[in-house]
Amino acid sequence: MANELTPTQIAQRYAMDVEKSAADYLSGIVGGEAGKRAAARLGMSMRAIARANPKVYDCDRASVVAAVAMSALTGLEPGGPFPAVYVVPRAMRYQDKDGQWKSEQELQWQISFRGMLMLAQRAGYQVRAIPVYQGDEFELDLGALRPTHRPLDRTEEPPWEDLRGVYVVGYESATGNLVGWEWLPRWQ
């Protein structure tokens, strides 16, 4: 058919549509030229993601613009080998006013652990994850300021099977003061 779009035309139309919508949205929040530059930069990331996962082209336009806007506002970009955020096309089910169930593709913006670390660092915090292995002296008291941990003196890295869990500790970067900690057993 003469009206069918080629994959290249779909990608170009998608890119123009996303960049224009994102630029309009971001210009109101960030400012005219800065919003346009942010939208263009993120538009390139979104094009690469859409090429890798064509389901992105089927997503609701508002959800795509919202994902681009969230990336621009937080400064966390999707894509690449170590993404700060993931953008994931998902089929969302909802009931319309007649009670009929419908499904629509929506692009969801999900922050990765790298993105969380970046935000923590910008806010003046450092986060460390410390593994606990079989043989380590470890005492977990949920009411304590932090767990007691004395690692066994090892000459090589223990196998995965010996991992008991990990505790994550948050510090203020400037003072080194402990902000909090969380224990995650291996099964989590």
Side-chain angles (χ1 to χ4, degrees):
M1 291 174 85
N3 293 1
E4 291 289 318
L5 295 175
T6 67
T8 302
Q9 290 171 321
I10 291 171
Q12 289 170 342
R13 183 176 286 175
Y14 174 83
M16 288 176 12
D17 205 25
V18 167
E19 284 178 30
K20 183 185 180 325
S21 298
D24 292 345
Y25 181 78
L26 294 171
S27 292
I29 295 172
V30 180
E33 283 305 309
K36 288 178 185 173
R37 282 193 305 274
R41 188 180 73 247
L42 291 167
M44 289 191 318
S45 294
M46 293 300 293
R47 270 182 267 169
I49 289 167
R51 274 193 301 266
N53 185 352
K55 287 185 179 183
V56 171
Y57 293 125
D58 299 330
C59 290
D60 172 57
R61 179 180 168 176
S63 69
V64 173
V65 171
V68 171
M70 283 296 294
S71 289
L73 293 172
T74 60
L76 301 176
E77 293 191 27
F82 304 109
V85 296
Y86 299 103
V87 287
V88 183
R90 294 255 165 85
M92 303 301 289
R93 290 184 41 124
Y94 65 94
Q95 243 179 336
D96 67 8
K97 62 182 178 184
D98 299 327
Q100 299 296 315
W101 284 97
K102 301 210 173 187
S103 182
E104 186 176 87
Q105 282 290 109
E106 190 175 278
L107 196 64
Q108 293 188 344
W109 187 87
Q110 299 174 347
I111 192 166
S112 72
F113 77 93
R114 289 176 201 88
M116 292 293 260
L117 290 176
M118 292 167 88
L119 290 177
Q121 288 172 346
R122 283 188 215 155
Y125 297 99
Q126 293 294 319
V127 179
R128 283 187 57 206
I130 303 153
V132 178
Y133 293 99
Q134 298 294 335
D136 289 358
E137 189 178 315
F138 182 72
E139 186 178 323
L140 181 64
D141 178 3
L142 297 177
L145 291 176
R146 68 181 297 165
T148 304
H149 181 211
R150 289 181 192 80
L152 187 65
D153 191 21
R154 294 179 174 84
T155 57
E156 58 187 49
E157 185 176 344
W160 167 254
E161 294 78 26
D162 287 355
L163 181 71
R164 290 173 55 192
V166 174
Y167 63 99
V168 181
V169 184
Y171 298 93
E172 288 182 348
S173 296
T175 63
N177 290 338
L178 179 70
V179 176
W181 63 274
E182 184 69 33
W183 167 252
L184 295 166
R186 179 176 151 186
W187 61 268
Q188 282 186 326

